[in-house]
Amino acid sequence: MTLIQSTRAWPRAWPLAWRFWTRPAVAALALSLLLTACGGEQPGGTAVAELPDAPDKDDYPVAMRSDHVDEYHAVEVADPYRWMEEMESDAVEAWVEAENEVSFPYLESLPARDTIEARITELWDYERFGLPREENGRYFFTRNEGLQNQSVLYVSDGLEGAEARTLIDPNTFSEDATVALSQWSVSRDGTLIAYSQSDGGSDWKTWRVREVDTGVDTDDFLDFTKFTGASWALDGSGFYYSRYPVGEDGKGDGSKAVSIYFHKLGDPQSADELVYSIPDHPRRNPYGSVTDDGRYLVISVSERFTENGLYYRDLEDPSGEVVKLLDDWDANYNFVGNDGDTFFIRTNKDAPGWKVVAIDLENPGPENWREVVPEAEVAMVQAAHVGGHIVTRYLEDVLPVVKIYAPDGSLVREVELPAIGSAFGFGGDADRSETFFTLTGFTTPGQIYRYDVETGETTLWRESNVPGFDASEFETKQVFVTSADGTQVPMFITHKRGIELDGTNPTLLYAYGGFNISITPGFNVGRVVWMERGGVLAIPNLRGGGEYGEDWHKAGTKLNKQNVFDDFIASAEWLIENGYTSPEKLAIQGGSNGGLLVGAVLTQRPDLFGATLPAVGVMDMLRYHTASANARAWSGDYGLSENEDEFQALRAYSPVHNIEEGVCYPPTLVTTADHDDRVVPWHSYKFGAALQHAQGCDEPVLVRVETRAGHGAGKPTWMRIEEMADQYAFLEAMLAD
């Protein structure tokens, strides 16, 4: 390991204060402030240092290429980097270390890196809050002072006027702040909180229980869980959760399905009651939540993201039988709430734009369903049961519209949002009229509002402000791009006011395009710094997302997945044709499914981009489903190589399988993390090694592997700042004249 890499790794074991004040970025920040005071260059100025020599093929570690071949439907497909799937092997660990010895020193040496890190650090230092949750008059919320590595959970005995005190401070969980507070759930009387921890970014969680009054943990400890919440029984005697079976190695076996258990407080986990399992469908995962009135355990059963089952158990029924309310697996069914034995369900059954129906448990047949909120011309992305009302949130050309309905389906009012931007929240209890929501945008960090569904009153609760940042210097517009098949794709563009459309602006194009996920305006410090330094930010809403309902989603899945890439390419071409940028000045970025997006368009149109940032991407589309049972659940969007028609579609765009030797690919920084157990890092390992091997010119291909991190959730502030600084410094250097 080189000296530069070694010294960069040291801070990960230091306390935050010492680590912060010894960072090069802090020295750069102090220098920039001094220059400002003396009339010199501001932090956003142009770096004068020369660009260091980029790594080339002789600098990259040699990655063995085997002669491994798989056969799919009589088609032989080479997989020379299959050995990288053994991620704990000495060979893989040595290759990762060698890649980091190339990438980290080079990124550290980029001219603008420390200046960019200093500015990100400066802007990141602002107070921010999470949405409050109320239980029995107590309010629970997260707060971050600014540069705290993990946000702290507070509790107060009232919304206003009561002093908030620290309940859980995850910054104390580990010295390097890589153990994070993940999920938390408060008992109905507000006296106990169940909370989970994630170690090093892993999806695997452990659970503990803390007394709210004393701040002391009980002896309760749960293991072997992923993706589950904790839903308290009405009497506070314990909670329901889902967990995996224990494997031969004593760890949770993620290759099998979960089962629902009830944990009684004070009992060891081994004594937990098995509530429900599905042994005849090992890939179907049940998760349970207790209704607000405590009467029912509602069980959502998932296998893919495109449909689900919905069951329930009457907790007052001594037999304890689970009733399969919706088991046709023909649509998505989301439980919204209940009024006695009437369930409110948000569904896309015969409604691509979604609707809310009421189902009487005594007469549950579809012919007896009552439509409460009909399908609209715009997509309903959320519904909640708050204070006896149905709160619905829609997206109209990606901007929010919120409406309040009575249980009989009559419209009460449309919520007047205080500002334009993304709106999130609107959860609450069936018997309380109080809800909270947050508003945010590309240049506004966020305001949290309290809303009364009964009176319609909106009150500002907390507002975040970023010292030293002037949002009025920027502008945002929305345009519509014509994709290859004529589809109109919306795209937001944000930049400094008054830029010239002369094709010279460095531009960052970011997108996702999958899993019914809608990408709406949001505040990101790294992007702000990018724009401060003259960059343009463009975010298109590709098919595969949920912005226009289920039809929009399905138009970007399975055999239609190429539509997503066509939408992205059309967005890039629009930016060039309209004078914002040029191929040499255009960068693309995406993570997870968005990493797949970048990998696919990078291999399809290497001529179109000046730099690429694929992060934690799904890059081997023929074998993604072999990593875990969770990964197989993605087949609703991707399809499976086991099916011949889907194999042909997957092979046509799979990034790893479409890299061609001798092609000049644009400068690329592949980022992943060695603790990522959602999109396992061997995807990025294979892609990075293949791209380095095939590269037909001198443009760099770097592989940056973060240690003590996972897919992204729970990553500490110091690590996020370092990664952003590396990425934006790389883009600035690669897109320079």
Side-chain angles (χ1 to χ4, degrees):
M1 182 177 290
T2 65
L3 178 61
I4 294 177
Q5 172 65 4
S6 298
T7 56
R8 186 170 184 183
W10 293 343
R12 304 184 182 196
W14 295 349
L16 176 61
W18 177 252
R19 179 170 64 243
F20 177 75
W21 289 111
T22 53
R23 290 293 301 144
V26 178
L29 173 58
L31 177 60
S32 69
L33 294 175
L34 178 61
L35 288 171
T36 300
C38 297
E41 183 188 0
Q42 304 259 341
T46 303
V48 296
E50 293 184 2
L51 187 67
D53 291 336
D56 58 26
K57 283 196 172 186
D58 293 335
D59 297 314
Y60 302 132
V62 176
M64 177 186 67
R65 290 176 59 85
S66 74
D67 57 2
H68 187 98
V69 173
D70 291 313
E71 185 174 305
Y72 299 88
H73 312 286
V75 177
E76 291 189 343
V77 179
D79 189 359
Y81 300 111
R82 175 66 62 83
W83 60 275
M84 288 186 166
E85 295 183 17
E86 301 296 326
M87 292 180 294
E88 296 183 0
S89 68
D90 291 342
V92 172
E93 290 183 355
W95 180 83
V96 168
E97 183 175 355
E99 287 286 348
N100 279 345
E101 288 178 354
V102 173
S103 60
F104 277 96
Y106 176 72
L107 294 168
E108 286 275 7
S109 69
L110 292 174
R113 188 197 176 281
D114 285 344
T115 303
I116 290 173
E117 183 176 358
R119 183 58 174 160
I120 292 175
T121 303
E122 181 182 24
L123 291 183
W124 206 296
D125 193 7
Y126 71 96
E127 185 182 38
R128 50 199 177 273
F129 295 84
L131 289 169
R133 305 184 197 176
E134 184 272 342
E135 289 292 350
N136 196 29
R138 284 177 161 170
Y139 288 84
F140 301 79
F141 58 90
T142 58
R143 173 181 175 268
N144 194 300
E145 295 175 355
L147 290 174
Q148 287 178 291
N149 279 310
Q150 304 286 348
S151 294
V152 178
L153 181 63
Y154 289 83
V155 60
S156 64
D157 291 326
L159 187 60
E160 299 292 352
E163 181 180 356
R165 56 184 174 85
T166 299
L167 181 58
I168 300 175
D169 183 358
N171 297 291
T172 65
F173 289 169
S174 62
E175 287 189 359
D176 62 359
T178 58
V179 179
L181 173 65
S182 181
Q183 292 175 279
W184 46 276
S185 176
V186 182
S187 62
R188 304 299 180 92
D189 62 2
T191 63
L192 296 166
I193 182 170
Y195 68 96
S196 63
Q197 294 177 317
S198 170
D199 188 348
S202 174
D203 281 336
W204 288 104
K205 309 294 193 301
T206 57
W207 286 81
R208 290 173 170 81
V209 177
R210 179 163 295 189
E211 297 174 347
V212 174
D213 289 331
T214 66
V216 175
D217 284 348
T218 68
D219 292 333
D220 299 86
F221 177 81
L222 307 181
D223 204 349
F224 320 122
T225 75
K226 283 185 181 183
F227 314 125
T228 184
S231 189
W232 287 87
L234 188 62
D235 62 3
S237 60
F239 53 83
Y240 297 87
Y241 72 104
S242 295
R243 71 171 174 87
Y244 288 88
V246 182
E248 294 181 357
D249 58 358
K251 300 179 180 179
D253 186 350
S255 67
K256 294 182 172 61
V258 301
S259 300
I260 298 176
Y261 286 82
F262 180 76
H263 175 70
K264 183 179 179 181
L265 293 181
D267 284 354
Q269 187 176 21
S270 58
D272 287 353
E273 172 195 355
L274 174 63
V275 175
Y276 189 66
S277 63
I278 311 177
D280 55 334
H281 285 286
R283 295 193 182 102
R284 291 187 177 177
N285 294 287
Y287 297 91
S289 62
V290 179
T291 56
D292 286 348
D293 60 8
R295 173 72 183 275
Y296 298 100
L297 178 70
V298 179
I299 300 171
S300 180
V301 184
S302 64
E303 183 174 359
R304 295 178 294 271
F305 294 98
T306 47
E307 65 274 328
N308 69 296
L310 197 68
Y311 310 159
Y312 71 89
R313 176 182 176 183
D314 187 342
L315 298 178
E316 295 180 1
D317 181 358
S319 70
E321 293 184 1
V322 170
V323 178
K324 296 182 177 181
L325 178 64
L326 298 164
D327 198 39
D328 289 335
W329 293 82
D330 57 354
N332 288 108
Y333 300 96
N334 305 145
F335 179 78
V336 175
N338 71 299
D339 182 4
D341 56 7
T342 297
F343 277 16
F344 299 109
I345 307 295
R346 173 177 166 265
T347 181
N348 55 20
K349 170 68 173 174
D350 301 323
W354 299 79
K355 62 185 178 183
V356 175
V357 299
I359 300 178
D360 183 350
L361 299 187
E362 296 297 323
N363 299 285
E367 67 278 5
N368 298 317
W369 293 2
R370 175 170 58 87
E371 190 173 76
V372 179
V373 183
E375 181 184 17
E377 294 183 359
V378 294
M380 181 195 301
V381 294
Q382 180 189 3
H385 189 216
V386 180
H389 294 72
I390 306 297
V391 182
T392 58
R393 180 168 60 92
Y394 301 86
L395 286 181
E396 184 172 7
D397 287 337
V398 203
L399 293 176
V401 175
V402 182
K403 296 182 179 181
I404 311 296
Y405 288 88
D408 64 3
S410 59
L411 177 64
V412 176
R413 76 181 71 87
E414 181 174 325
V415 178
E416 294 185 12
L417 298 175
I420 297 175
S422 297
F424 300 103
F426 301 102
D429 296 327
D431 59 353
R432 285 179 56 84
S433 63
E434 177 183 73
T435 186
F436 293 88
F437 67 93
T438 184
L439 278 175
T440 185
F442 291 121
T443 57
T444 54
Q447 305 90 34
I448 297 178
Y449 294 88
R450 179 188 182 275
Y451 183 77
D452 191 310
V453 299
E454 187 68 37
T455 66
E457 181 183 7
T458 302
T459 307
L460 179 66
W461 180 66
R462 293 289 186 272
E463 182 174 18
S464 293
N465 294 289
V466 181
F469 171 68
D470 185 359
S472 67
E473 296 179 359
F474 301 86
E475 61 179 319
T476 297
K477 66 178 68 174
Q478 187 183 49
V479 300
F480 287 83
V481 175
T482 303
S483 192
D485 63 356
T487 298
Q488 296 296 296
V489 177
M491 178 166 65
F492 290 106
I493 305 174
T494 306
H495 51 73
K496 278 186 174 181
R497 295 185 184 277
I499 66 167
E500 293 187 28
L501 300 184
D502 57 3
T504 66
N505 301 294
T507 299
L508 177 60
L509 182 65
Y510 170 91
Y512 186 79
F515 296 102
N516 203 35
I517 293 173
S518 301
I519 304 300
T520 60
F523 189 77
N524 179 286
V525 170
R527 292 173 180 169
V528 166
V529 173
W530 167 259
M531 292 186 293
E532 281 187 333
R533 297 176 68 82
V536 173
L537 173 67
I539 300 183
N541 297 99
L542 314 180
R543 280 174 285 184
E547 291 88 349
Y548 291 97
E550 187 60 16
D551 286 345
W552 188 259
H553 169 220
K554 287 186 175 179
T557 64
K558 293 189 175 181
L559 303 186
N560 298 318
K561 188 66 176 176
Q562 182 61 38
N563 286 335
V564 182
F565 313 136
D566 289 344
D567 292 353
F568 199 53
I569 290 170
S571 301
E573 292 175 334
W574 189 97
L575 290 165
I576 295 168
E577 292 167 1
N578 286 271
Y580 282 89
T581 192
S582 61
E584 302 79 27
K585 294 284 189 175
L586 177 60
I588 54 175
Q589 181 185 39
S592 194
N593 175 75
L596 159 63
L597 169 69
V598 172
V601 299
L602 160 63
T603 56
Q604 291 181 16
R605 290 294 306 275
D607 61 304
L608 195 56
F609 312 111
T612 74
L613 296 177
V616 293
V618 190
M619 299 300 197
D620 184 340
M621 300 309 297
L622 303 185
R623 287 184 53 77
Y624 76 86
H625 60 288
T626 65
S628 68
N630 302 122
R632 193 178 181 91
W634 309 338
S635 62
D637 261 49
Y638 296 151
L640 293 166
S641 56
E642 300 164 2
N643 305 319
E644 186 170 1
D645 58 343
E646 293 172 351
F647 159 72
Q648 297 292 348
L650 289 164
R651 189 187 182 202
Y653 70 79
S654 177
V656 164
H657 299 94
N658 284 279
I659 295 172
E660 298 181 10
E661 291 195 32
V663 172
C664 181
Y665 291 102
T668 298
L669 173 58
V670 180
T671 53
T672 187
D674 66 355
H675 280 56
D676 190 345
D677 45 19
R678 188 173 306 180
V679 179
V680 290
W682 58 251
H683 282 280
S684 293
Y685 297 170
K686 284 185 175 184
F687 183 73
L691 203 61
Q692 288 176 345
H693 171 78
Q695 180 64 297
C697 60
D698 294 333
E699 302 291 7
V701 176
L702 302 177
V703 179
R704 181 191 189 278
V705 184
E706 188 64 80
T707 59
R708 294 290 298 152
H711 198 59
K715 190 176 291 186
T717 295
W718 70 265
M719 192 180 287
R720 294 169 68 188
I721 290 176
E722 284 191 351
E723 183 176 32
M724 281 187 182
D726 285 348
Q727 291 173 324
Y728 288 105
F730 179 79
L731 292 187
E732 189 164 307
M734 296 303 104
L735 302 183
D737 294 329

